[in-house]
Amino acid sequence: MTKSRIIGGLFAALLVGGAGVIFALTWRPPMAAIDPPSARTFDADLVRRGRELAAVGNCSDCHTTRRGPNFAGGLPVPTPFGTIFSSNITPDPETGIGRWSEEAFRRAMRSGVDRGGRHLYPTFPYDHFTHVSDEDDRALYAYLMTREPVQAPLRDNRLSFPYNQRILIAGWKLLFLRRDAYQPDPGKSAEWNRGAYLVEGLAHCGACHTPRNGLGAERATATFAGGDVDNWQAYALNAQSPSPVPWNEDALYAYLCGGWHPDHGTARGPMAEVVSNLSSIPAGDVRAIATYMAGVFGAPTPDRQRQGEAVLAQAKSESTVASEPVSEGAAIYAAACATCHESGRAPPYGGINLAFSTAISAPDPRNLANIVLSGVRPVEGERSPIMPGFAASMDDGQIASLLKYLRSHVSKQPAWSGVSEIVEEARRTQTAFLQTAAGPRNAPADPSQRDQP
Ligand code: HEC
Ligand code: HEC
Ligand code: HEC
């Protein structure tokens, strides 16, 4: 045998062997289709529990378009790699999960594989859902299988090569998916453990609040150090928190179930949906989340505590309005904002003193630009905070001057860079959202659509 033939033979063997290994690592068997079970076969208590769990997991926010039927999918979820459309998770036998067994559903939640064996994109946050218990998956399954079936075919993702190759997801999983049940920490209280189970699992708080690496996975060394979602900044929730007044357990509890706290203001954008979901689950679970998250923030250093107290004291005694408005930004603030933010009025119309607002102390002005452009929308049927949007009445230059003024007069942080570009980008995304048929992800779902079990 010649040398080149031996090498050729080896190469072929390696190729076949390699392909075999890749096949073994990536192939998942399809699971048998079942006859859609009748809704009556599910226990009513289990379904009720499933509804609460679905709220914790924000399932409806990603699986429902603005005016579309609940859980019918089709919402475009933007990622740095392209747009992925959520699936129809109603029990429709053809286009939804009507033919999925509980086992197939659990496999999707744990390992991101659909019934047919296809790998699912981790935009579906199964890197968190993998920690959900069998019992909770059973309740979620019961809840989804008792919803109204809706015929709505999948929409094609808008991903370019190579990201449109689902086989790559198998490699991603090898690198980043840690499949294990939540292990309680015996040194901590039952409430803390409950909170950890919810936050790290179903509630997937880190999916937005933890920065991601170049491959779109959460950075394990920077948990809760602040992330991005739909042109909003999901602030750091650890010792790096930019909040002027340090968060504590009680403030977290009030904010997470009521959406507002006098020293921190209101939840907006994607966080408004999270809070609206948490307001429908048992108070004990929200308390547990607050307990665990207070530990993630950690006790403030004495320095930080003093700064927070100084902000609170100063806000009570001083006005942010310059006595003689000297800049364009100062004049706009005095004319358009101070009436509500320094009136001492309570919500719905009075806003917090802006010295408390994380938006103004944050590393960049994205959220502030979003708020000034679109305001704070009232929640239908509730006495919730209302602020008008200024997209129509102010141009980008005026908003940029206002943002720079607020940063320099209200926060103790160094000036932002690139303010004008960020304002332009915020206006562009806002306009784009309003133009897509699907509508913005942060639009409150029509409350009349919130279904009952
Ligand atoms: C951040 C957005 C997001 C959230 C939150 C979310 N999903 Fe999804 N989900 C998706 C996307 C996007 C897909 C499609 C992934 C793909 O095509 O690879 C998906 C796919 C699925 C699938 C696979 C369906 C199929 O036909 O392949 C199931 C099941 C599912 N989600 C259930 C849930 C449940 C249950 C919850 C709540 C506990 C939930 N999802 C929360 C975005 C989300
Ligand atoms: C879909 C993305 C998303 C998820 C999931 C999410 N958040 Fe947020 N969160 C945000 C965004 C965006 C903001 C900033 C909102 C704003 O500017 O009002 C925010 C703000 C907050 C704040 C206010 C911080 C500050 O200093 O003002 C807290 C506290 C918070 N989130 C806690 C949580 C917890 C706890 C969870 C899980 C139960 C969670 N978030 C899940 C996106 C998210
Ligand atoms: C009609 C009254 C009203 C006017 C006018 C108004 N706001 Fe607001 N604003 C509110 C209310 C109510 C909220 C929600 C409660 C809260 O967070 O303070 C809010 C929230 C905010 C927040 C978020 C605070 C936080 O972190 O929770 C910022 C920032 C803000 N407004 C800035 C402005 C700026 C800048 C202007 C002027 C261009 C302005 N507002 C004009 C009422 C108003």
Side-chain angles (χ1 to χ4, degrees), residues 41 51 130 137 141 143 155 188 198 271 330 333 369 400 423 443:
T41 56
R51 175 162 58 104
T130 190
D137 274 342
Y141 178 75
Y143 173 64
R155 296 175 65 181
K188 304 279 192 187
L198 291 170
M271 193 60 201
Y333 176 76
V423 172

Side-chain angles (χ1 to χ4, degrees), residues 373 421 423-435:
L373 282 166
E421 291 76 21
V423 172
E424 283 160 26
E425 175 66 21
R427 194 187 288 272
R428 253 197 317 277
T429 35
Q430 192 207 30
T431 318
F433 272 145
L434 293 177
Q435 281 166 355

Side-chain angles (χ1 to χ4, degrees), residues 18-78:
V21 170
I22 290 175
F23 182 74
L25 288 175
T26 57
W27 187 77
R28 296 289 174 273
M31 283 189 176
I34 59 165
D35 287 333
S38 143
R40 275 175 318 218
T41 56
F42 293 96
D43 177 64
D45 275 345
L46 194 65
V47 172
R48 187 188 43 76
R49 185 73 199 120
R51 175 162 58 104
E52 289 164 6
L53 292 166
V56 175
N58 301 331
C59 317
S60 148
D61 295 331
C62 279
H63 284 278
T64 309
T65 57
R66 183 141 74 134
R67 295 213 167 71
N70 236 336
F71 299 115
L75 185 80
V77 186

Side-chain angles (χ1 to χ4, degrees), residues 235 255 259-261 264-268 332-333 335-341 345-354 356-360 367-368 371-372 375-376 384-388 390 394 402-403 406:
Y235 306 126
Y255 175 90
W260 189 78
H261 186 276
H264 296 281
T266 185
R268 298 155 303 250
I332 297 174
Y333 176 76
C337 322
T339 38
C340 288
H341 285 283
R345 273 196 285 178
Y349 301 109
I352 55 165
N353 188 301
L354 293 181
F356 302 160
S357 177
T358 309
I360 294 169
N367 291 12
L368 183 56
I371 296 160
V372 172
V376 176
S384 59
I386 302 167
M387 167 174 154
F390 293 88
M394 285 190 213
L402 171 65
L403 266 45
L406 287 172

